[in-house]
């Protein structure tokens, strides 16, 4: 039976470190502030934004919420981003995705100052991730790396299979695993022989966005299985991309949903916000 990797416990340890550093900054007269923008009323996004706000409050980080109506125009959104870019007391800016269809996500991401881009979505920060010297690490992939490190699971030389190639998770996840000397395969919806490739993984990261997509026959004995999925089937409870009950007995370690990667994403966002505040105040990180 695989060990359940406890994302709540690991995120608590990261958040405790961040809270200590936030307090040390406060004692020097430096505050840490995150601005969060949410456009529209997508229920899942509302939950994520609420959880981010709660985490900020618990850690002594000031959170400034900007809840905009669904019919906000591109101009209005860009002018808010510009205002937040210019305000020196705002250290981090996060615009919750996805945006309503009529808005241009790419243009909004590009408009956020790279120094305040705590999601690490701006092309300048994405480039930093690619060459291995990113200031901000993307929150979810960085959270996964932290979990592996905390559990003493080494990546070097291992076959790491990432299912999913999104800009937010799949692609940066592959890069972080590569930087730790993993041998990385990225699979996606057009991949042939997906099951066979997944079965050869020492570390399998599922970032597909489909409930219970990873079944027992896709997992080799003793694999480490990381589930990035956050699926909410209509009327059902939150569920990952992995068929947890079937895969747990085969894996050597596995992350549950909820209580796995999700809390780590928020912890790493808090760390990035702290990093932004330190750099903007001329401190080393
Ligand atoms: N939507 C889903 N995940 C994320 C995330 O990590 N950051 C933002 N801004 N939006 C998201």
């Amino acid at each position: 039976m695989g060990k359940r990797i406890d994302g709540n416990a690991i995120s608590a340890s990261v958040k405790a470190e961040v809270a200590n550093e936030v307090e040390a900054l406060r004692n020097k007269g430096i505050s840490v502030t995150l601005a969060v923008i949410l456009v529209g009323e997508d229920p899942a996004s509302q939950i994520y934004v609420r959880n981010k706000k709660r985490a900020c409050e618990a850690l002594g980080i000031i959170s400034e919420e900007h809840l905009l109506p669904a019919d906000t125009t591109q101009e209005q959104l860009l002018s808010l981003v510009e205002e937040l870019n210019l305000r020196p007391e705002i250290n981090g800016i996060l615009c919750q995705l996805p945006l309503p269809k009529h808005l241009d996500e790419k243009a909004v991401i590009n408009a956020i100052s790279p120094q305040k881009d705590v999601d690490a979505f701006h092309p300048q920060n994405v480039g930093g991730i690619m060459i291995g010297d990113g200031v901000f690490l993307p929150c979810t992939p960085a959270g996964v790396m932290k979990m592996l490190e905390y559990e003493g699971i080494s990546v070097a030389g291992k076959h790491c299979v990432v299912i999913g190639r999104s800009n937010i998770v799949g692609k940066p996840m592959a890069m972080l695993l590569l930087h730790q000397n993993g041998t990385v395969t990225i699979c996606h919806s057009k991949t042939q022989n997906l099951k066979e490739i997944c079965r050869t993984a020492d570390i399998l990261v599922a970032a597909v966005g489909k409930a219970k997509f990873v079944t027992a026959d896709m997992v080799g004995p003793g694999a480490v299985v990381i589930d990035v999925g956050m699926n909410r089937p209509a009327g059902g409870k939150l569920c990952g991309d992995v068929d947890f009950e079937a895969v747990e007995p085969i894996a050597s370690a596995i992350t549950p949903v909820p209580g796995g990667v999700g809390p780590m994403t928020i912890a790493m966002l808090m760390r990035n916000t702290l990093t932004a505040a330190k750099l903007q105040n001329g401190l080393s990180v």
Side-chain angles (χ1 to χ4, degrees), residues 191-213:
T191 296
Q192 294 179 354
N193 306 323
L194 176 69
K195 189 191 293 186
E196 288 70 25
I197 295 169
C198 290
R199 281 183 70 88
T200 68
D202 300 304
I203 298 172
L204 181 63
V205 181
V208 193
K210 288 188 182 148
K212 301 193 182 186
F213 180 86

Side-chain angles (χ1 to χ4, degrees), residues 37 45 48 52 94-98 119 121 139-140 168-169 265:
I37 305 169
S45 291
Y48 297 143
K52 288 167 186 177
L94 178 149
C95 181
Q96 187 66 29
L97 304 180
D119 266 324
F121 290 169
C139 301
T140 300
I168 295 185
V169 182
T265 297

Side-chain angles (χ1 to χ4, degrees), residues 242-280:
V242 176
D243 183 351
F244 186 87
E245 281 72 29
V247 170
E248 188 183 25
I250 304 166
S252 61
I254 183 166
T255 64
V257 177
V261 174
M264 294 305 300
T265 297
I266 295 190
M268 302 322 270
L269 172 68
M270 299 296 107
R271 175 155 284 296
N272 279 347
T273 305
L274 170 67
T275 297
K278 284 164 126 180
L279 291 173
Q280 287 157 31

Side-chain angles (χ1 to χ4, degrees), residues 131-142:
I131 59 177
D133 69 354
V135 179
F136 301 120
L137 293 180
C139 301
T140 300

Side-chain angles (χ1 to χ4, degrees), residues 28-47:
K28 291 184 188 168
I30 298 169
S31 61
V32 182
T33 303
L34 174 66
V36 177
I37 305 169
L38 173 62
V39 185
E41 289 170 5
D42 176 65
S45 291
Q46 285 176 328
I47 294 172

Side-chain angles (χ1 to χ4, degrees), residues 15-66:
K15 287 196 282 190
E17 285 171 14
V18 172
N20 282 339
E21 289 200 51
V22 169
E23 194 185 352
L25 288 185
R26 195 183 313 116
N27 292 337
K28 291 184 188 168
I30 298 169
S31 61
V32 182
T33 303
L34 174 66
V36 177
I37 305 169
L38 173 62
V39 185
E41 289 170 5
D42 176 65
S45 291
Q46 285 176 328
I47 294 172
Y48 297 143
V49 164
R50 190 188 64 204
N51 289 342
K52 288 167 186 177
K53 182 181 177 197
R54 284 186 182 159
C56 284
E57 283 164 2
L59 272 54
I61 294 174
I62 300 162
S63 84
E64 182 177 293
E65 268 186 323
H66 294 267

